[in-house]
Amino acid sequence: MNEFTRQDRIDAVVSCREPDRVPFCINVNNYYSIEYGLSMYNVMKDARFFGPVLKRFAVDLNPDLIGMPITYPLDAFRISGYRNVKYPGPDQNHPVDTPFQFLDSSYMEEEDYEVYLKDPTAFLFRNVFARQYQAFEALGNLTVNGLCNASIYGMAAFGNPAVKEALQKMIRTGEIVAEYLGQMKEIADSLEEMGYPVFGTSGTLNSFDAFADNVRGIMDTNVDLLDMPDEVNEAMTRWEENALPGDLFAAKSSGCRYAFMPLHCGGEAFMSLDNFKAYYWPHVKRYVLEFINHGLTPMLFCEGSFTSRLDILADVPEGKVIYLFEDVDLAKAKKVLCGKACIMGGLQTQTLMFGTEEEVVEETKRALDICAPGGGFIMSNSIALDQAKRENIEIWRQTVEQFGAY
């Protein structure tokens, strides 16, 4: 039998085949910094802190797939005055180990759908962008019509002191973000050179979640879906027409294999099955197909409970998609998705945090019994890990290696 590399194992299960054993992946976020003596403040100030930590994590725990930490450059938030997030450190008087948290904010009222649909770009620039970022408020007074005027005098707007300051801060914010992304890519490349496949170097949102997260607000968007579904659906369609080409370019430019996409609003707690099928899944599927057509493997994080959506999730090209589940009936997922898509999950993160070693072993063996036969399964935990008992992670890995062999 040929010896499987870590990448071979992942390739096999994505294609719904059996490798030599079930691949093992620890779905991690703040654990990277907290376990190894850093703080969230440290790593949000300078991504290079992650380099040695991630290499130690890889060598210590030997996963088959490593998720890059989901984090952001703190100085970019600070300079731009980004209003939709809370983050650690003295700027907002939060402890240095506090995880960042995005806020559910709305920059659009129910009666604004008509205005948005007439000219989405103008609405987003004036009503959303210039309000999301305190430092860029002056840019809300700019109009494309004025800049495209036949007279050069339209350019006088860029001489306005407030506009000049906003543009300078925008450029500085962009430089910080580009530098941070470059640092993260260097770390990911070094892990790949060590033989560890990586995901999370590219992440995107489908149009429903992007619009809900950034424009109307998650709660308001889901309420609107009950009252005015056609307007909501058209808003999503207009969003993806503009956003999808850029999302594809960003993913391809990152050099990633796996296009990570969290499904924020698709769970059973947010919308009915009928609305999921009619107004959510079509937008997700368009992204999925476009990423596949461009040589990428979509990795969809199904946030919340998704058991009732399994038949719909099966409507994808076979052997091309990974579904990371937070909450699903594993037996039903295996029955519906077997041979169609790769299942990722199996262990509740809460068990790693609060359970006993015996409970970790029992839950792991149960997941392996259900999902391992026939391949198409990556053993992972349900949501990104911030803190856990180290002994639970160790026994989890050992159990997968012992009982996950084919």
Side-chain angles (χ1 to χ4, degrees):
M1 179 183 294
N2 293 330
E3 183 176 349
F4 278 75
T5 65
R6 299 180 188 89
Q7 188 64 61
D8 291 337
R9 288 191 192 103
I10 302 301
D11 291 343
V13 295
V14 170
S15 300
C16 301
R17 296 180 287 109
E18 291 184 353
D20 58 340
R21 67 162 171 81
V22 171
F24 173 65
C25 172
I26 312 170
N27 184 15
V28 174
N29 199 31
N30 298 345
Y31 182 84
Y32 286 134
S33 57
I34 295 173
E35 176 67 15
Y36 291 92
L38 299 176
S39 69
M40 283 304 297
Y41 181 77
N42 292 145
V43 297
M44 291 182 74
K45 287 287 288 184
D46 191 334
R48 288 173 294 186
F49 280 112
F50 272 128
V53 163
L54 281 168
K55 290 178 182 179
R56 282 183 58 192
F57 172 87
V59 173
D60 289 349
L61 296 170
N62 195 31
D64 294 295
L65 181 65
I66 294 179
M68 292 297 290
I70 301 173
T71 185
Y72 301 89
L74 186 149
D75 287 337
F77 287 148
R78 178 177 55 80
I79 291 173
S80 65
Y82 186 60
R83 292 186 166 106
N84 282 15
V85 69
K86 296 294 184 182
Y87 54 83
D91 291 348
Q92 298 183 350
N93 295 317
H94 289 156
V96 294
D97 280 331
T98 303
F100 66 85
Q101 179 61 57
F102 286 102
L103 309 177
D104 186 27
S105 303
S106 179
Y107 297 95
M108 175 178 171
E109 301 301 324
E110 183 177 345
E111 58 269 20
D112 289 336
Y113 275 95
E114 183 178 356
V115 180
Y116 168 81
L117 291 172
K118 283 182 179 179
D119 192 341
T121 300
F123 184 91
L124 291 173
F125 192 75
R126 294 180 189 172
N127 295 70
V128 181
F129 180 74
R131 292 167 61 198
Q132 278 184 337
Y133 298 91
Q134 184 177 5
F136 306 156
E137 286 179 341
L139 301 182
N141 297 318
L142 299 177
T143 66
V144 175
N145 305 67
L147 299 177
C148 294
N149 196 295
S151 169
I152 195 66
Y153 290 125
M155 294 294 169
F158 291 114
N160 179 284
V163 171
K164 287 172 63 178
E165 182 180 5
L167 291 172
Q168 289 164 356
K169 288 185 176 180
M170 185 187 295
I171 291 170
R172 181 58 188 142
T173 299
E175 291 171 343
I176 292 170
V177 172
E179 181 181 17
Y180 198 86
L181 289 172
Q183 293 168 352
M184 295 292 277
K185 187 175 188 309
E186 287 180 7
I187 296 168
D189 289 346
S190 69
L191 291 170
E192 294 272 4
E193 290 172 2
M194 293 170 63
Y196 294 95
V198 169
F199 76 91
T201 54
S202 174
T204 191
L205 295 175
N206 67 80
S207 56
F208 192 105
D209 290 336
F211 184 86
D213 284 3
N214 298 293
V215 181
R216 180 67 174 123
I218 291 176
M219 297 304 297
D220 287 337
T221 302
N222 282 279
V223 171
D224 293 344
L225 193 57
L226 301 175
D227 298 333
M228 43 196 310
D230 292 339
E231 289 85 349
V232 173
N233 194 51
E234 180 62 21
M236 309 310 171
T237 301
R238 298 292 293 277
W239 180 282
E240 71 192 30
E241 287 172 352
N242 290 319
L244 185 51
D247 293 336
L248 282 168
F249 176 79
K252 293 288 287 184
S253 299
S254 75
C256 71
R257 288 188 181 93
Y258 310 104
F260 184 75
M261 183 188 299
L263 304 184
H264 291 164
C265 297
E268 294 170 2
F270 277 112
M271 66 180 67
S272 69
L273 180 61
D274 287 342
N275 280 347
F276 178 88
K277 185 175 182 178
Y279 302 112
Y280 190 83
W281 178 249
H283 301 290
V284 175
K285 186 178 179 182
R286 182 177 177 187
Y287 271 75
V288 167
L289 295 179
E290 287 292 339
F291 280 118
I292 291 172
N293 289 339
H294 285 78
L296 301 170
T297 299
M299 178 186 284
L300 277 59
F301 175 32
C302 301
E303 297 188 48
S305 180
F306 262 75
T307 300
S308 67
R309 283 99 164 92
L310 289 169
D311 288 333
I312 299 171
L313 298 182
D315 183 24
V316 291
E318 293 183 2
K320 299 292 185 181
V321 177
I322 302 170
Y323 289 116
L324 169 57
F325 288 106
E326 176 183 358
D327 181 11
V328 74
D329 184 316
L330 284 177
K332 290 182 179 179
K334 184 65 176 180
K335 181 179 180 180
V336 173
L337 297 177
C338 184
K340 297 179 181 178
C342 177
I343 297 170
M344 185 172 175
L347 183 69
Q348 289 296 305
T349 294
Q350 295 91 324
T351 306
L352 289 175
M353 296 175 66
F354 307 114
T356 64
E357 293 184 33
E358 291 75 17
E359 289 170 334
V360 171
V361 170
E362 181 181 349
E363 192 172 328
T364 301
K365 290 172 67 175
R366 176 182 176 273
L368 290 170
D369 288 343
I370 294 171
C371 293
F377 177 55
I378 299 171
M379 172 59 75
S380 187
N381 51 303
S382 56
I383 56 176
L385 194 64
D386 288 337
Q387 295 178 328
K389 299 177 183 179
R390 183 64 174 232
E391 60 270 23
N392 280 354
I393 296 178
E394 295 280 1
I395 196 68
W396 181 34
R397 175 180 58 80
Q398 294 168 15
T399 305
V400 175
E401 291 178 351
Q402 180 180 357
F403 295 96
Y406 287 101

